[in-house]
Amino acid sequence: MSTAGQVIRCKAAVAWEAAKPLVIEQVDVAPPQKNEVRLKILFTSLCHTDVYFWEAKGQTPVFPRIFGHEAGGIVESVGEGVTDLQPGDHVLPVFTGECKECHHCKSEESNMCDLLRINTDRGVMLNDGKTRFSINGKPIYHFVGTSTFSEYTVVHVGCVVKINPAAPLDKVCLLSCGISTGLGATLNVAKPKKGQSVAIFGLGAVGLAAAEGARLAGASRIIGIDLNPSRFNEAKKFGCTEFVNPKDYDKPVQEVISEMTDGGVDRSVECTGSIQAMISAFECVHDGWGVAVLVGVPNKDDSFKTHPMNLLNERTLKGTFFGNYKPRTDLPAVVEKYMNKELELEKFITHSVPFSEINKAFEYMLQGESLRCIIRMEG
């Protein structure tokens, strides 16, 4: 029996207020409107960004809300004007989109769509400024246009990536956020050449994905930098060959790395959001050709300074957003990297819980125990 055009009542994990456990509720999910798609979510994963906004450390707190943005699912129905997706397609919803029509989308150099780039404050759909979720007629707000902690969700078509239906959604769902961010920061932005050295600052899931990118690129030395030495053993699986804990030295870590590498690494990728790590990542690259890439998101009042000679001596500082991948255009090929066994995703998955135990995923992340916890919607 088709549910197209009808309201679907299903289970969703609702955050009623900041930092309080999510509550599994029966929610009504309205049909998709113009340029929208309704998805049945099969697997979702917890990312640190969900936790950050659930704790309300971000900009404007918006509650009640359905979080979640790293996920894989199947198209249930499509709204008016949607021609490139149909019911049954296997898809990844993504927190940033690709309208394919704005200046950014038409540029080969950018993935920062004017219409659909991430907006953490907005809790409603673009089409009519309303939510598609409700309980007893009262709105429940969306999160970054995806809200995947629900059995069904409604997403703008520009934020839905059609992928190979043979790809296991419980693995490739990780590519809809953190893993692509780190991987692309290395492969698309730092672009290390075979045999070069790469320093990775921060060995969480995004940093380890950056290390995985360096491994795929054929880097000869991958130096992991983290204040938590318990992460070092795990990082070996992702290609890290050496480790530095800045706390072990009484001089700036950029000097330590420079001495280890005869003048600096060829590339560095910063995945912490710490201002000090950003400075170190830039100042540890070799003059003449070194490239540093910033991935981590800083606090809103942060700024950093470095001497202009560091730039004049031919070091390059770059930033990236979502690994410079255009979601709809580029992610299908990243899925194929996994299918071809180039990219390994299993090692990022440290835990798995049924949907009814979603709060455990938050506990694992807050305790620093997990890289990625897969949440099985059927459970």
Side-chain angles (χ1 to χ4, degrees):
M1 195 181 97
S2 172
T3 46
Q6 300 173 29
V7 171
I8 291 178
R9 183 163 286 183
C10 69
K11 286 189 291 191
V14 177
W16 288 101
E17 52 184 309
K20 292 282 167 66
L22 306 187
V23 183
I24 304 287
E25 306 276 13
Q26 290 288 328
V27 301
D28 290 334
V29 185
Q33 296 192 12
K34 188 176 181 183
N35 293 329
E36 295 174 358
V37 185
R38 189 160 58 184
L39 309 179
K40 179 178 171 64
I41 300 295
L42 296 182
F43 298 95
T44 186
S45 163
L46 182 64
C47 165
H48 194 264
T49 307
D50 295 305
V51 177
Y52 183 76
F53 285 93
W54 166 74
E55 291 178 320
K57 288 182 177 171
Q59 291 91 324
T60 317
V62 180
F63 293 96
R65 199 172 210 183
I66 296 171
F67 285 100
H69 64 281
E70 214 173 69
I74 294 175
V75 174
E76 174 270 338
S77 61
V78 301
E80 179 196 336
V82 175
T83 54
D84 50 354
L85 290 168
Q86 57 190 32
D89 284 345
H90 285 223
V91 295
L92 304 178
V94 183
F95 65 91
T96 184
E98 183 184 353
C99 73
K100 300 198 173 181
E101 290 170 9
C102 68
H103 286 315
H104 283 273
C105 286
K106 286 182 173 168
S107 161
E108 288 179 10
E109 299 181 55
S110 175
N111 67 337
M112 298 183 71
C113 175
D114 279 330
L115 181 69
L116 299 169
R117 73 172 68 173
I118 186 170
N119 182 325
T120 55
D121 292 346
R122 188 171 59 229
V124 294
M125 299 302 286
L126 282 170
N127 190 44
D128 61 356
K130 294 179 178 162
T131 71
R132 301 289 172 266
F133 299 113
S134 62
I135 295 179
N136 298 326
K138 295 204 170 78
I140 307 292
Y141 294 103
H142 297 250
F143 177 63
V144 296
T146 51
S147 292
T148 60
F149 295 165
S150 174
E151 291 177 320
Y152 289 86
T153 187
V154 177
V155 182
H156 191 286
V157 65
C159 298
V160 180
V161 179
K162 182 179 174 179
I163 62 163
N164 181 345
L169 289 170
D170 60 336
K171 308 294 190 300
V172 297
C173 64
L174 299 184
L175 294 173
S176 65
C177 179
I179 308 311
S180 295
T181 296
L183 187 74
T186 304
L187 294 178
N188 298 336
V189 189
K191 296 182 180 171
K193 298 181 174 76
K194 195 172 170 43
Q196 286 192 322
S197 58
V198 181
I200 309 287
F201 286 76
L203 299 174
V206 175
L208 292 174
E212 178 80 351
R215 183 185 73 77
L216 291 181
S220 57
R221 295 175 74 181
I222 303 174
I223 303 168
I225 299 105
D226 203 290
L227 297 169
N228 179 356
S230 69
R231 288 176 158 180
F232 292 165
N233 209 34
E234 187 79 10
K236 289 177 186 167
K237 295 181 202 166
F238 299 84
C240 284
T241 55
E242 298 153 75
F243 302 96
V244 175
N245 182 346
K247 288 195 281 198
D248 293 345
Y249 300 88
D250 53 10
K251 58 183 167 188
V253 71
Q254 54 266 48
E255 290 179 24
V256 176
I257 294 167
S258 184
E259 286 167 15
M260 286 169 66
T261 54
D262 192 24
V265 287
D266 301 303
R267 303 287 187 264
S268 72
V269 186
E270 185 285 318
C271 304
T272 71
S274 145
I275 289 300
Q276 194 48 58
M278 292 179 189
I279 295 167
S280 299
F282 176 51
E283 295 184 354
C284 81
V285 298
H286 205 290
D287 59 5
W289 61 79
V291 178
V293 178
L294 304 186
V295 181
V297 179
N299 293 326
K300 64 178 189 299
D301 298 327
D302 281 344
S303 63
F304 68 79
K305 64 178 189 180
T306 187
H307 198 284
M309 283 310 296
N310 289 322
L311 286 155
L312 295 170
N313 287 335
E314 298 175 11
R315 291 178 185 87
T316 301
L317 179 62
K318 290 184 168 186
T320 176
F321 169 69
F322 193 54
N324 280 37
Y325 288 117
K326 290 178 183 279
R328 295 159 81 188
T329 301
D330 298 333
L331 282 193
V334 184
V335 169
E336 293 311 312
K337 272 188 199 293
Y338 169 77
M339 297 300 281
N340 300 337
K341 301 196 162 38
E342 286 174 68
L343 170 64
E344 297 167 12
L345 292 175
E346 285 80 0
K347 58 195 177 187
F348 289 97
I349 301 168
T350 49
H351 298 79
S352 173
V353 297
F355 189 37
S356 58
E357 296 175 21
I358 188 170
N359 287 304
K360 275 192 181 165
F362 281 75
E363 287 166 28
Y364 294 140
M365 185 160 279
L366 290 167
Q367 288 157 9
E369 289 177 18
S370 74
L371 287 174
R372 280 294 182 267
C373 178
I374 299 290
I375 297 153
R376 307 184 299 276
M377 299 307 286
E378 298 294 323

